[in-house]
Amino acid sequence: MKKIQNLLYICIVISVLNIFMITLYFRQRTPAETQVPVNLPSADKLSCSDIAMPAQISLAGETVPINRQDVREALKKELIVNTYLHSHTIQILKNAPRIFSIVEPILKANGIPDDFKYLAVIESRLEPQAVSPAGAVGIWQIMKNTAKELGLEVNNEVDERYHIEKATEAAAKYLKKTYDKFGSWTLAAAAYNGGASMISKQMNIQQEKDYYNLLLGEETERYVFRILALKQIMNNPEKYNFSVKNSYSLEPIRKIEIKGPVESWTDFAREQGITYKTLKRFNPWLRKNDLKNPRHKTYQISIPENKQFYK
């Protein structure tokens, strides 16, 4: 037994000595000998991509002074942000033809420049069911009190903020009113975000009449540049590495006039050969499964022409 213990002791001592010698050997080697080779990327691979900047750009016919450094940098920031929000921007590009086909003629009929369709883009990404944390609703993100002031019906049965056509009419009314007040479409756009009273107050305090000279809150300062960035990207998607070949198709509809109450929208949908889900897809402004309609108001209900696509 004693011999075995001595043998183990000798083995332990030899092992410790070996470890010590190996450690000493590596410490004495030169840095060149111990350096681990690393494959570094070439200089061209380390360079960062930049964003294509337009030589000139305007909003509703009003020239943007991108010769100014602050303006140029503000626009570039929003171009970068929206270029690299890949999934969101792709969805916008796919959805735009469908929504724009509804919005564009309404803006034109109301004397609102076509560029304001990009305001709806930054407000909601063109999602008809969009609801903000503050309670703004629809593609134009209209608040409840503002909606009522603009003539939209908002109650527990009907919320016309979700009605694309009527909400666009309301947004056009607001934009025309603020344009008449400020004489500038750029300021009208800023007022849509910050409110006309806030814009007026800051114009008085700062003694400025040009949006690009005004110091505003961060959201309102970025607002116009976000509109411009989406306009630039959506009109030149290839410059920003977007290739959306198949956008969402247009959805032809027919209208059914309703003047009285509806006991069940589910039954109504079935009578039209569609599901309740499909009915709500085309009429998201219907908020309950019935309609009392005590004043016998006339409503236009949208029904898809191609019902087979939704079964």
Side-chain angles (χ1 to χ4, degrees):
M1 185 69 178
K2 188 173 183 180
K3 288 182 178 181
I4 294 173
Q5 288 178 341
N6 289 337
L7 184 60
L8 288 172
Y9 177 77
I10 291 169
C11 290
I12 292 171
V13 171
I14 291 171
S15 297
V16 171
L17 288 172
N18 284 334
I19 293 171
F20 175 77
M21 293 301 292
I22 291 170
T23 303
L24 184 63
Y25 171 76
F26 278 104
R27 283 184 176 178
Q28 289 177 342
R29 292 184 69 184
T30 63
E33 292 174 316
T34 58
Q35 185 177 10
V36 178
V38 177
N39 294 322
L40 293 173
S42 59
D44 61 324
K45 290 182 179 180
L46 289 173
S47 64
C48 297
S49 298
D50 206 346
I51 294 295
M53 283 288 291
Q56 58 185 15
I57 193 169
S58 64
L59 178 64
E62 297 174 4
T63 302
V64 179
I66 57 174
N67 59 299
R68 288 174 45 165
Q69 184 166 336
D70 56 340
V71 171
R72 189 171 182 83
E73 289 179 1
L75 177 56
K76 176 168 277 194
K77 175 180 179 178
E78 301 308 325
L79 284 170
I80 292 171
V81 168
N82 289 281
T83 296
Y84 292 104
L85 277 175
H86 289 90
S87 59
H88 294 307
T89 306
I90 289 170
Q91 285 290 350
I92 289 169
L93 289 168
K94 290 180 76 67
N95 204 29
R98 175 184 291 172
I99 302 299
F100 284 174
S101 69
I102 302 170
V103 168
E104 288 172 346
I106 296 174
L107 293 178
K108 184 177 181 179
N110 284 274
I112 305 299
D114 189 67
D115 279 354
F116 278 91
K117 64 190 179 187
Y118 302 109
L119 186 151
V121 173
I122 69 164
E123 282 287 346
S124 63
R125 299 186 186 133
L126 303 180
E127 294 291 343
Q129 301 267 20
V131 180
S132 78
V137 165
I139 68 166
W140 294 97
Q141 289 291 278
I142 302 174
M143 296 294 288
K144 186 175 182 179
N145 289 338
T146 304
K148 291 182 176 180
E149 290 172 4
L150 294 171
L152 295 178
E153 182 179 356
V154 181
N155 53 50
N156 65 340
E157 290 187 342
V158 170
D159 190 339
E160 290 181 334
R161 293 178 294 172
Y162 291 98
H163 195 298
I164 297 177
E165 293 95 329
K166 291 189 176 182
T168 303
E169 292 277 0
K173 185 185 297 185
Y174 181 87
L175 291 167
K176 185 65 169 63
K177 180 180 178 181
T178 50
Y179 173 74
D180 290 342
K181 178 179 179 66
F182 296 118
S184 162
W185 288 116
T186 306
L187 285 171
Y192 195 92
N193 174 258
S197 60
M198 185 277 284
I199 297 296
S200 294
K201 180 180 179 181
Q202 291 303 320
M203 289 174 70
N204 290 332
I205 291 172
Q206 300 175 43
Q207 294 298 296
E208 292 288 352
K209 296 182 179 180
D210 188 333
Y211 168 82
Y212 300 102
N213 289 334
L214 285 169
L215 177 64
L216 303 168
E218 181 184 4
E219 184 179 350
T220 308
E221 275 204 359
R222 293 180 62 182
Y223 196 75
V224 167
F225 294 104
R226 289 174 63 202
I227 296 173
L228 292 167
L230 265 300
K231 174 185 176 180
Q232 174 67 7
I233 292 169
M234 294 178 75
N235 282 289
N236 307 277
E238 69 288 342
K239 288 186 178 181
Y240 302 91
N241 296 319
F242 290 105
S243 179
V244 178
K245 296 180 180 179
N246 298 308
S247 58
Y248 297 136
S249 60
L250 303 184
E251 298 179 297
I253 60 169
R254 61 185 178 88
K255 299 278 190 176
I256 295 179
E257 195 172 87
I258 297 293
K259 294 184 177 180
V262 176
E263 292 185 6
S264 169
W265 285 118
T266 300
D267 292 340
F268 177 88
R270 290 184 176 181
E271 289 169 4
Q272 301 303 319
I274 58 175
T275 64
Y276 177 73
K277 180 180 180 180
T278 300
L279 179 72
K280 291 299 292 290
R281 175 187 177 91
F282 288 88
N283 304 275
W285 51 277
L286 298 173
R287 306 312 294 170
K288 292 187 71 177
N289 192 36
D290 64 346
L291 180 69
K292 294 184 174 56
N293 198 10
R295 298 182 180 179
H296 291 271
K297 183 177 177 179
T298 300
Y299 295 96
Q300 299 288 333
I301 309 300
S302 298
I303 305 295
E305 290 281 6
N306 302 314
K307 300 176 184 179
Q308 68 276 13
F309 291 167
Y310 307 95
K311 294 181 180 180

